[in-house]
Amino acid sequence: MIDTHLGGCVCGAVRYRVHGNPVVGTVCHCRFCQKRLASAFAVLASFKEDTVEMLQGEPSEIEHRSDESGRWLRMSFCPTCGTTVSHTAELRPGMRTIAAGTFDDPTWFTIDRHIWVQSKLPWVTIPDNVATYAQGFVASPP
């Protein structure tokens, strides 16, 4: 039996379900993630797109083109409360990344890597047993 996990935005207008485990769990320390989330980093769980099911609400989208890579990132967010729920990336076709803090229980998956650590804030400590990358990480397609 495949595990399913539920999540959604702060106000509950947008809800989703994922089936199975993420392909990868990532913490991103890039300046864009820091600014867009008003936080030290983003915690991300990436899934094959066909394992993510929108249950309720119609998220809005905005596209950002990276100053560094020139590639696009499309963020999906609740049009009512503004919570970023997920994103897709030009670099990873067929994948949908869930903003891990939006899971009803965000404790069930593991972090495999920290990326863009060249932008990491000095007071953030990364565990020794997790892979780190100065910039992004380019994986083979799933």
Side-chain angles (χ1 to χ4, degrees), residues 20 23 26 60 66 105 110-111 129 137:
V23 173
T26 303
S60 295
S66 170
D105 173 10
T110 59
I111 297 299
N129 62 339
F137 176 85

Side-chain angles (χ1 to χ4, degrees), residues 32-139:
F32 177 67
C33 282
Q34 291 171 356
K35 286 186 169 207
R36 76 183 174 91
L37 297 171
S39 184
F41 47 78
V43 181
L44 310 164
S46 298
F47 295 84
K48 291 181 180 177
E49 199 158 22
D50 63 358
T51 65
V52 178
E53 178 184 2
M54 296 309 292
L55 301 174
Q56 175 180 304
E58 185 65 39
S60 295
E61 273 193 355
I62 189 166
E63 182 175 296
H64 168 75
R65 192 159 295 274
S66 170
D67 295 343
E68 293 194 49
S69 72
R71 291 185 294 262
W72 58 258
L73 182 74
R74 289 188 187 117
M75 282 118 347
S76 297
F77 60 95
C78 174
T80 303
C81 69
T83 302
T84 298
V85 175
S86 69
H87 75 260
T88 56
E90 182 177 5
L91 183 61
R92 292 178 181 78
M95 301 289 289
R96 176 162 295 276
T97 298
I98 299 294
T102 66
F103 283 116
D104 292 347
D105 173 10
T107 65
W108 64 274
F109 72 97
T110 59
I111 297 299
D112 303 298
R113 64 187 182 206
H114 284 246
I115 62 173
W116 289 99
V117 296
Q118 70 184 19
S119 305
K120 179 183 77 64
L121 297 177
W123 41 265
V124 172
T125 302
I126 298 173
D128 291 332
N129 62 339
V130 179
T132 61
Y133 301 87
Q135 295 183 343
F137 176 85
V138 179

